[in-house]
Amino acid sequence: MPAAYLGCEDMTKKEILKQTLLHKKTPEVPYALKRRFGNEITFFGGMNTQYTMPFGTVAEVASEMRKLVRELGREGGFILTPGIIVQEDVPRENVLTFIRVCREQAF
């Protein structure tokens, strides 16, 4: 697990619980954390707001969101959000896709 992601590759469950949101700097880190901790922690965010939301296609936004729900949402413990404020450079179509895919998910 890359140390740059949450600040320390040897974080304990307690330390991770102190985190308020996931900043995706490495695409596979949230999935590695889910494998490591399962449903012992809740993930908030995870949507890539540095690349996918502002620069991705509508299909890429939908695909990433569905993967997040499928992988991080397994056995509960996932709150689907962009993770941080959606900036003004995000295309309207990507924001609408985010909303549409959220509504399609069976929570």
Side-chain angles (χ1 to χ4, degrees):
M1 181 178 342
Y5 185 66
L6 290 172
C8 178
E9 64 184 344
D10 297 320
M11 292 182 81
T12 66
K13 180 172 55 172
K14 185 176 180 179
E15 290 167 328
I16 291 175
L17 289 170
K18 292 178 183 178
Q19 298 295 321
T20 57
L21 47 97
L22 285 171
H23 290 288
K24 273 181 73 173
K25 295 180 181 173
T26 308
E28 293 304 312
V29 170
Y31 307 110
L33 289 172
K34 180 66 174 188
R35 286 189 298 276
R36 180 174 176 191
F37 294 105
N39 62 356
E40 296 178 43
I41 62 174
T42 297
F43 293 87
F44 178 88
M47 188 65 192
N48 190 327
T49 56
Q50 296 177 352
Y51 172 76
T52 309
M53 287 297 288
F55 305 112
T57 65
V58 166
E60 289 170 329
V61 170
S63 175
E64 183 171 328
M65 289 181 64
R66 289 184 181 112
K67 181 177 180 183
L68 286 165
V69 170
R70 182 178 63 249
E71 299 293 326
L72 298 184
R74 187 176 345 110
E75 300 176 3
F78 178 53
I79 301 168
L80 178 60
T81 73
I84 60 172
I85 297 169
V86 175
Q87 301 294 322
E88 64 186 40
D89 63 341
V90 174
R92 182 174 190 267
E93 296 79 19
N94 288 0
V95 173
L96 294 175
T97 298
F98 185 91
I99 294 167
R100 177 180 53 78
V101 173
C102 281
R103 290 179 175 163
E104 290 173 359
Q105 303 308 305
F107 291 103

